Amino acid sequence: MEAYPITAIEVKPRIRTEIEEEKLLELAESIHRLGLQHPPVVKKEGKALVLIAGERRLRAITKLHEQGLTVRFMNSTVPKDYIPVSYYTSIDATMAKEIELEENIRRVDLSWQDVAQATAELHELRKVTKPTQTLTDTAVEISGLLGSQVSPTQISNRLILAENLNRPAVAEAKNEKEAMKALRMELERTFMSAIGKQTHGLVDKKHRVELLDAVTGMQRCQDRFFDCIITDPPYGVNAEDFRVQTTTNIHQYQDDWKSIQPLLATFLNEARRVTKPQAHIYIFHDVQYFHLLKEMAREAGWDPWPRPLVWVKDTGHIPRPHHGPKRLYETILYCLKGDRAVNHLDGDVITCSNEKDRLHAAQKPVELYRNLLARSVYPGCYVLDPFCGSGTVFPAASALDCVAVGFDNDPAAVAMCVERMKNL
């Protein structure tokens, strides 16, 4: 290592020059307080010394000298207006990697993904020479590099994220916080799927949930058994593109209308078979398909209400955030079978807040299900939800002293139903 006058170091235009002043002052303060960890790297080009890496350190040390403050390196004070340097040809591969990583970590324009990767690589590099290296050790070092506090928990999160950047939901997150949330949800889904596959469902003292697709489940039901059906089938609106992050991550099913239409036709026919002569059905759907769904229900033998019921909520999707409004309402097709009367008159607009911590991408609030069911059932009635998702129907039916049966072909969703039923 040698020290040269700062003015002898040539900074070529290719080195980035847009450096945030506040961050530069933080780095200068850190170098003054903790000492210079690694000197800038230079190489000789004729008689000139050209900077290879460390422009921010060079500028920070220049500021310290201008303020009359000392700079220490390897327990020695650096002479005023001088700077220690490493020659590019004299450093080994490990030192070169350290310099590269530290330079990356210091940069203020890196993505969180790059910061996570650089942090993980630096931590592993330190463990090679110091097997006892802890998260705290790495946090202290990076805090010194950045001139701002980094906690061991942040280091731990970055190591975890670096290992999981191969997961699209993690890599596509906007920041570290959202990435950790996405990772937790994906791991929860994996865990819940394993539970769902093991249990295949649950029959408690009242309700039943089974790991079956809607049609198969309904085909196993006896004729004229249920008093009411309430369900939230796929909408046929390509919901997988909405990127709604929940425990089940995004919608796990194919959701285009061409695929969904024959499923809904079969469902409506089976629904009429398994319901009593006097019954009601509530089907959540997208408003653009209301008239199509209404005619499909009529063809299956139902008596559809001519207008949709409308659920107004406080949060919603933004399929085209740069062009249109949030979707703050959803529609429900209400149909009758026979001449079953409602228990009480109520409006066709229901205002109900969405679930704040949804377990499932399409999860509906319990209060909304309870509101609808209360119009059609009384204690002891049997309710069916063939697309039951996370199991909203079970607490809603319990609140009305009814018996609920649900089917879903997603093991993670069935596991969520099991957990919800255990708490009823």
Side-chain angles (χ1 to χ4, degrees), residues 211-247:
L211 180 61
L212 293 170
D213 66 83
V215 173
T216 302
M218 295 174 76
Q219 288 173 343
R220 297 183 182 183
C221 294
Q222 66 188 69
D223 295 351
R224 302 184 176 189
F225 184 78
F226 295 100
D227 297 276
C228 183
I229 293 177
I230 183 169
T231 196
D232 186 19
Y235 280 14
V237 293
N238 301 107
E240 64 274 10
D241 295 334
F242 293 176
R243 304 300 299 172
V244 180
Q245 290 193 341
T246 62
T247 297

Side-chain angles (χ1 to χ4, degrees), residues 134-414:
T134 64
L135 297 175
T136 299
D137 294 334
T138 303
V140 170
E141 180 175 354
I142 292 180
S143 295
L145 294 175
L146 297 177
S148 57
Q149 188 67 31
V150 177
S151 70
T153 299
Q154 287 176 285
I155 299 299
S156 175
N157 287 347
R158 289 175 184 176
L159 300 186
I160 293 170
L161 291 175
E163 291 182 356
N164 289 277
L165 287 174
N166 60 315
R167 300 174 184 266
V170 175
E172 294 171 11
K174 295 179 181 179
N175 51 51
E176 287 184 22
K177 183 178 179 181
E178 289 190 11
M180 286 300 296
K181 181 179 179 180
L183 178 59
R184 281 194 295 270
M185 290 176 174
E186 191 160 319
L187 294 177
E188 279 184 36
R189 173 175 173 75
T190 301
F191 174 70
M192 296 297 276
S193 292
I195 293 177
K197 288 176 181 177
Q198 290 176 0
T199 61
H200 294 282
L202 174 73
V203 178
D204 72 353
K205 59 185 178 181
K206 233 182 183 185
H207 310 300
R208 184 173 94 244
V209 61
E210 292 190 59
L211 180 61
L212 293 170
D213 66 83
V215 173
T216 302
M218 295 174 76
Q219 288 173 343
R220 297 183 182 183
C221 294
Q222 66 188 69
D223 295 351
R224 302 184 176 189
F225 184 78
F226 295 100
D227 297 276
C228 183
I229 293 177
I230 183 169
T231 196
D232 186 19
Y235 280 14
V237 293
N238 301 107
E240 64 274 10
D241 295 334
F242 293 176
R243 304 300 299 172
V244 180
Q245 290 193 341
T246 62
T247 297
T248 58
N249 194 16
I250 60 173
H251 292 73
Q252 299 295 318
Y253 44 79
Q254 189 173 7
D255 190 45
D256 62 276
W257 181 251
K258 185 177 180 181
S259 300
I260 296 306
Q261 192 171 6
L263 169 65
L264 292 177
T266 304
F267 151 70
L268 285 164
N269 283 312
E270 284 297 314
R272 194 170 192 284
R273 180 185 64 80
V274 301
T275 47
K276 293 177 180 178
Q278 310 288 329
H280 291 164
I281 188 170
Y282 297 92
I283 308 170
F284 286 83
H285 63 280
D286 190 83
V287 65
Q288 65 182 308
Y289 297 125
F290 171 72
H291 292 292
L292 288 174
L293 187 61
K294 182 177 70 172
E295 291 310 309
M296 290 169 63
R298 193 187 309 280
E299 290 176 7
W302 290 93
D303 178 13
W305 199 251
R307 297 165 58 91
L309 306 184
V310 178
W311 167 38
V312 179
K313 50 188 177 178
D314 54 349
T315 59
H317 305 316
I318 317 176
R320 298 174 62 188
H322 300 297
H323 304 98
K326 293 181 180 180
R327 296 183 176 182
L328 291 179
Y329 73 91
E330 294 186 38
T331 46
I332 305 147
L333 174 66
Y334 163 58
C335 302
L336 299 86
K337 179 182 177 184
D339 192 31
R340 188 182 184 99
V342 293
N343 295 333
H344 60 271
L345 290 177
D346 212 332
D348 57 3
V349 177
I350 307 166
T351 302
C352 181
S353 297
N354 214 334
E355 296 284 354
K356 297 194 181 303
D357 297 309
R358 285 182 289 168
L359 300 170
H360 191 278
Q363 182 173 332
K364 300 298 186 291
V366 173
E367 181 55 31
L368 176 61
Y369 266 45
R370 193 204 65 77
N371 180 300
L372 294 169
L373 288 176
R375 305 172 185 219
S376 300
V377 300
Y378 45 84
C381 282
Y382 288 88
V383 178
L384 173 65
D385 186 349
F387 301 90
C388 68
S390 63
T392 299
V393 69
F394 298 112
S398 282
L400 299 170
D401 291 324
C402 294
V403 179
V405 174
F407 305 119
D408 205 282
N409 61 356
D410 181 357
V414 171

Side-chain angles (χ1 to χ4, degrees), residues 2-15:
E2 297 184 51
Y4 284 88
I6 291 176
T7 55
I9 311 298
E10 180 182 349
V11 181
K12 290 193 173 183
R14 64 186 180 82
I15 304 295

